[in-house]
Amino acid sequence: MADEELQRTLADVGAHFDFGEYETEAYITVLEHGRLTASEIADKTDIPQPRVYDTVRSLAEHGFVEIHESRPMQVVAIDPTEAFGDVQTTLDELVEDLERRYTAPSKGSEAVSLIKSRRTILRYLEDVITTAEYELMLSLTPDLLARFEEELADRRDEGVTIDLLLAPAATVPGADEYDYTRIASAVRARRGVTTPVAAVADGDYSIYTAREAIQEDGDRYGVIFNRTELGFLVSGFLNTVVWGSATTLMERLDDRPYPRRYASIRRCVQELDGVDDALDVTVHGRDVETGERRTVEGELVDVAVGPDQVTASITIRTADGAEVAVGGQAAAFEDIEASELVVSTEA
């Protein structure tokens, strides 16, 4: 489809979505580049700079782009097959042509992003779930569990350890009513309706939002921690405050073969406590006193867990005989704050 014909067709469709001339031009431009700032949109189009913000916010409200509230603000393309997915019309030819022009946006370099709108928050929640490689921790509502049930089952089938918290407890099915073993390693229910919605993949890619943000669009935001140590803020909060105040519905020890990877030392200690096998541990993390990155390898010699199963640590003995204490997020008494642990059987 030629450019002029494409713009005419899109303008016709745009009448259904209240597309104007500026919205049409901005939308095609963002599609072709994947991710642009407001200034870049103004430079690449005939849209006056003062009108760019209103134009892209109008597109975002209709679900055609995402806005990341960073500095500068980022306008991110959404795959047209999804943006037009709910429209039951004969748009196939138009969408296919737009798809050929679509450039998938990169994850971006920002460590933290603010996102708004229910659709965008749900998109990133799904992304966190589906990109988990070895460990996933979530706080969901029962409705969100139903929405992402198959994605969670797929992650379990791939060997991902999943700790799932559901709230409010009054609406959570009991273990005799629902087969949680298919979608999680451990499941807890929490009473409070104020329990946040959150997910952490492998300890470093996470999303956090209030549950009101996924019930309706409004002034609520979600926060994305993208491949950064700041993801431990969400992980630490879930592992201590939220998980520790919930009631267990189902829990089973991991039967994965070694080597096993962990982002949560709580989960690591829970599975290693009482194991008689000789095990080696490789720890990636930071020195508690200097903050420098450290990698330490050695034989597991001790496992310690608090009575609430929230506080936990391990001790390993290195090849030179030194004993190193390893803790989790914000460790203070141990030698290393671990971000990843790899446990294997001794050769």
Side-chain angles (χ1 to χ4, degrees):
M1 189 180 296
D3 285 355
E4 291 184 3
E5 183 183 357
L6 172 63
Q7 294 207 24
R8 284 197 302 270
T9 304
L10 189 57
D12 291 340
V13 175
H16 178 76
F17 295 100
D18 197 25
F19 261 17
E21 178 183 352
Y22 291 156
E23 284 83 356
T24 300
E25 190 173 7
Y27 180 49
I28 292 178
T29 302
V30 174
L31 272 181
E32 291 178 338
H33 293 84
R35 176 190 295 264
L36 293 172
T37 65
S39 295
E40 289 171 337
I41 292 174
D43 291 340
K44 297 177 184 297
T45 67
D46 294 326
I47 304 172
Q49 178 77 37
R51 294 293 307 276
V52 171
Y53 289 94
D54 289 342
T55 299
V56 297
R57 291 193 186 281
S58 175
L59 291 173
E61 288 174 2
H62 288 86
F64 296 109
V65 299
E66 294 176 1
I67 293 179
H68 290 192
E69 301 286 354
S70 55
R71 293 187 179 182
M73 181 183 76
Q74 299 280 325
V75 184
V76 180
I78 293 176
D79 191 324
T81 58
E82 179 172 353
F84 289 85
D86 296 333
V87 183
Q88 301 301 313
T89 62
T90 56
L91 293 175
D92 290 348
E93 182 179 350
L94 171 62
V95 174
E96 287 176 4
D97 194 71
L98 292 172
E99 179 70 17
R100 285 193 293 271
R101 294 167 176 255
Y102 170 65
T103 301
S106 63
K107 289 290 186 183
S109 58
E110 63 269 20
V112 182
S113 298
L114 290 179
I115 56 174
K116 190 176 181 181
S117 88
R118 179 177 182 273
R119 177 179 293 191
T120 301
I121 291 171
L122 290 175
R123 183 194 327 281
Y124 275 92
L125 184 57
E126 180 178 5
D127 192 50
V128 173
I129 292 172
T130 57
T131 56
E133 296 181 1
Y134 57 93
E135 190 170 294
L136 180 63
M137 189 168 194
L138 308 103
S139 173
L140 302 177
T141 65
D143 286 345
L144 288 176
L145 170 61
R147 182 186 184 99
F148 297 117
E149 181 178 12
E150 293 308 314
E151 288 82 357
L152 291 171
D154 177 70
R155 293 294 83 207
R156 278 300 295 150
D157 289 343
E158 292 296 321
V160 176
T161 299
I162 300 177
D163 286 345
L164 172 64
L165 184 138
L166 297 169
T171 62
V172 175
D176 56 343
E177 304 172 85
Y178 185 93
D179 182 16
Y180 289 111
T181 61
R182 192 173 76 89
I183 51 94
S185 311
V187 181
R188 293 191 180 189
R190 193 169 188 263
R191 177 170 172 260
V193 296
T194 58
T195 304
V197 171
V200 185
D202 304 329
D204 65 355
Y205 180 30
S206 59
I207 179 172
Y208 179 96
T209 189
R211 65 183 52 240
E212 290 85 357
I214 53 90
Q215 293 171 347
E216 59 183 19
D217 286 336
D219 294 330
R220 302 282 183 163
Y221 287 85
V223 184
I224 302 294
F225 297 93
N226 186 19
R227 307 297 177 186
T228 168
E229 290 175 349
L230 292 174
F232 277 128
L233 294 174
V234 181
S235 179
F237 176 71
L238 291 180
N239 270 297
T240 54
V241 177
V242 179
W243 189 259
S245 59
T247 302
T248 300
L249 294 180
M250 185 277 294
E251 192 161 21
R252 62 178 182 179
L253 294 180
D254 205 332
D255 56 0
R256 292 178 296 164
Y258 292 103
R260 299 179 184 175
R261 297 169 68 190
Y262 300 92
S264 164
I265 197 166
R266 175 187 58 78
R267 163 64 66 175
C268 177
V269 166
Q270 182 182 20
E271 294 185 2
L272 299 185
D273 190 23
V275 174
D276 296 327
D277 297 336
L279 299 172
D280 287 330
V281 183
T282 300
V283 179
H284 304 284
R286 296 189 301 177
D287 188 286
V288 169
E289 292 187 336
T290 68
E292 295 179 353
R293 302 297 306 181
R294 287 185 64 183
T295 296
V296 179
E297 302 178 23
E299 174 191 1
L300 178 68
V301 295
D302 187 45
V303 172
V305 59
D308 54 4
Q309 293 191 342
V310 172
T311 57
S313 65
I314 64 172
T315 302
I316 62 175
R317 182 181 294 120
T318 63
D320 61 5
E323 293 194 354
V324 180
V326 180
Q329 296 96 339
F333 299 105
E334 295 81 12
D335 301 308
I336 296 179
E337 175 198 64
S339 57
E340 181 181 345
L341 304 100
V342 181
V343 180
S344 58
T345 55
E346 288 189 353

